[in-house]
Amino acid sequence: MERGHRGKKKIWLFICAGAAVLLGGALCLHGRPRERQPEYIFSYAENQTADYPTTLGGERFAELVEERTQGRIRILVRPESVMGSESEVIRQMQYGGIDFARLSIAQLVEYVPEMSVLQMPYLYRDSTHMWQVLDGEIGDRFLSYPARCDLIGLSWYDAGARNFYLSAAPVRKLEDMRGLRIRVQESDMMSDLIRALGAVPIQIPYDQVYAALERGQVDGAENNWSSYVAMQHYEVARYYTIDEHIRIPEIQVCARHTWEQLSDDDKRILRECAVESARYERELWTKYEEQAKKTALENQVQEIFLTEEEKKKFQEAALPVYEKYCSGYEEIIERIRETTK
Ligand code: GCU
C-alpha cells in the first residue's frame, strides 16, 4: 500500500515537472523576442588601436549596419593589425579573406596609381580644403576608383596632416633631411617623396615602426599627431617638425566578392552607414588629435616650426613627385587647388 502510494506520487511529480518545462519553453518563445541569427558575419580590418577615431568609426559603422538590417548583417571590427598590415589586408580582400577595411590611400595607390592625385605633397591648403575636395564631385569620383582593384569605396575618413619626427636631432631646414633614414609606408610614392627631400626611405609596416625607431633601424618617421601618440612613437622620437608635407585621405572599402553577394537594398544601407560613420570619425578626429598633441608636448616632445622660406624649399623639392605621379592629371590637380567650397 505504502509502496503504491509513493509510486503514484512519483508519477505526479514527473507529470508536473514535464508540464513546467513545456510551459517555461512556451513562455520563452512567446514572452521574449527571439534573437535573430545574422545572415552574414563579416570581418573588418583596422590597423589602429581600439580607442582610435578610425576604429571607433568602424565600430559605429558596424552598429548602424546591424541596427538597420535588423541583425541580418553583423560586422566584426578587428583593430591593431590583427588581420595583417594594410598591404596584406588589400591582398586578402582581393582573394576573399577579409570583407571590409579602413585603409590609408597611400597603400591603395600601389594598386590604383590614379589615386595618387589625392595625396600629392603640399596639395591641400588645410583640412577644410581637403574636405571641400573629398565631399564634392572629385571625392565622389575617386571613391569609385578602388573598384579597379576589386575594392568598393564607401566613404572617406580623416587622418590629419603628416609631419616628420626624429630621434636624435630636429629637422629645422631642408638640408637637415639629407641622408636621414626615414620610415615610410609600403608605398613607392612615399619613398619617392622622401628621396626628393634628400633623405633615404625605408618601407616598414605600421605596427613595426616603434621597434624600428627604438633599435635605430631608422632615424625618424612621419605621421600625424594622433598616430605619433597612439603608437607611442613620441617616446623614441621626440623632435616633431611641423611641415605638413602630406594629407593622406583614408577610405572605408568593401571587398568586391562580399559586395556582390548583397542585395541592392543592403548595398544602399551599407553606403549610408559608412557615410554616417565617417561623419562621426571626423568629429572624433579633431578632439583626438588635439589631445594627442597635448600628451606629446607634456611628455618632452619638442615641436619645431619651419620658417616660411624653408617651407617653400620643401615644397619645391617635392615637385618631381608631381611630374612622376600626376602626368596626365594636371587638370584635376589644378581643379583641386582651385577648390574653395
Ligand atoms: C596612419 C594611417 C594608417 C597607416 C599609418 C602608416 O596612421 O591611419 O592607416 O597605416 O598612417 O603610416 O602606416
Side-chain angles (χ1 to χ4, degrees), residues 46-48 52 54 86 102-104 107 159 162 183-186 204-206 209 222-224 227 250 285:
E46 169 59 67
N47 70 353
Q48 300 288 6
Y52 200 83
T54 56
E86 287 191 324
R102 189 281 313 159
L103 301 168
S104 165
Q107 218 54 69
R162 295 171 80 106
R183 176 270 168 176
V184 289
Q185 291 167 266
E186 295 169 276
I204 299 174
Y206 188 48
V209 181
E222 50 80 54
N223 218 320
N224 52 57
S227 300
E250 311 213 325
W285 179 265

Side-chain angles (χ1 to χ4, degrees), residues 7 31 51 64 81 88 102 139 195 215-216 257 259 276 301 339:
D51 66 342
L64 291 171
S81 301
E88 288 162 351
R102 189 281 313 159
R195 274 188 215 103
R215 60 169 187 262
H257 70 92
W259 191 248
E276 276 179 49
V301 166
T339 303

Side-chain angles (χ1 to χ4, degrees), residues 164-169 179-185 194 199-206 208-222 233 236-238:
F164 289 106
Y165 43 93
L166 278 300
S167 302
L180 290 177
R181 291 161 306 155
I182 303 288
R183 176 270 168 176
V184 289
Q185 291 167 266
I194 297 304
V200 180
I202 303 196
Q203 298 191 359
I204 299 174
Y206 188 48
Q208 292 164 33
V209 181
Y210 184 96
L213 286 164
E214 195 183 31
R215 60 169 187 262
Q217 184 190 348
V218 290
D219 300 305
E222 50 80 54
H233 296 171
V236 281
R238 297 200 180 278

